[in-house]
Amino acid sequence: MPRTQKNDNFIDKSFTVMADLILKLLPTNQKAKEAFAYYRDGMSAQSEGEYAEALDNYREALKLEEDSQDRSFILYNMGLIHASNGEHEQALELYHQALESNPRLPQALNNIAVIYHYMGEKAKEAGDEDGGEALFDKAADYWIRAIRMAPNNYIEAQNWLKTTGRMQIDVFF
């Protein structure tokens, strides 16, 4: 049964009805409409923690979607799922693909930085001080790029950059 028929939540039902109306009214081709339907079902499944179903829907959406910006959001959401499952290398790959499709996606830059920061902490805990610092430097590079695009976001990252000496001045405020 399609996910559009399974939603019990009023908000999900409302979103589904609106999305269906938009799909019918949009002056776009059938392939794009199908891609959006898969994307919508993927988002719904993801919000319910049904990650395997969400990934299946996102993969189908990617097969159909031609718009690079829309593809970037599909790839980004797939990265979120892999990151939440602790599959950091796969998440990094998907975030980078999302950025190739849409270089102006600060949330992907932020998530890459978060993963590198986490990996840096793990490296330091394992006694690899230099490796940890190198990963922290990578995280800093990605956070700085994200902050340049969205200066009012990522306040914790800005504070970390300042306290670690990786950002010398308040160029973003």
Side-chain angles (χ1 to χ4, degrees):
M1 165 186 330
R3 179 156 284 281
T4 55
Q5 296 173 4
K6 292 197 292 190
N7 289 332
D8 295 326
N9 177 314
F10 173 76
I11 294 172
D12 285 345
K13 282 183 181 179
S14 299
F15 172 77
T16 301
V17 168
M18 290 299 292
D20 287 341
L21 282 171
I22 291 169
L23 273 178
K24 289 176 185 168
L25 298 175
L26 275 178
T28 188
N29 65 39
Q30 187 60 31
K31 191 175 178 183
K33 289 179 182 183
E34 286 179 43
F36 179 75
Y38 279 114
Y39 178 66
R40 180 198 61 215
D41 287 349
M43 286 179 21
S44 180
Q46 184 175 358
S47 72
E48 293 175 12
E50 300 291 339
Y51 295 144
E53 182 182 345
L55 287 171
D56 287 344
N57 280 298
Y58 290 147
R59 285 186 198 102
E60 290 300 318
L62 277 177
K63 289 178 190 174
L64 298 166
E65 186 57 66
E66 296 172 351
D67 182 80
S68 62
Q69 190 153 357
D70 291 341
R71 289 181 63 80
S72 72
F73 285 102
I74 296 167
L75 292 161
Y76 172 78
N77 283 340
M78 292 173 75
L80 287 174
I81 291 170
H82 286 286
S84 71
N85 288 335
E87 300 162 348
H88 297 121
E89 294 300 327
Q90 183 67 29
L92 286 171
E93 184 178 319
L94 288 160
Y95 291 142
H96 283 290
Q97 288 176 26
L99 287 168
E100 286 173 21
S101 292
N102 179 8
R104 302 239 0 119
L105 200 63
Q107 57 268 47
L109 293 168
N110 175 66
N111 289 5
I112 291 169
V114 167
I115 291 172
Y116 282 137
H117 185 271
Y118 172 80
M119 293 167 76
E121 286 179 336
K122 291 298 174 194
K124 284 189 154 209
E125 287 173 12
D128 183 4
E129 202 67 31
D130 292 338
E133 284 300 317
L135 288 163
F136 285 160
D137 289 342
K138 276 182 148 182
D141 290 340
Y142 282 95
W143 266 324
I144 289 169
R145 287 174 56 193
I147 293 165
R148 283 192 177 130
M149 281 185 219
N152 296 323
N153 296 352
Y154 317 118
I155 302 303
E156 288 182 40
Q158 290 183 44
N159 290 335
W160 179 81
L161 289 165
K162 288 177 198 171
T163 60
T164 62
R166 288 177 168 87
M167 184 171 75
Q168 302 300 325
I169 56 174
D170 293 328
V171 293
F172 307 115
F173 296 109

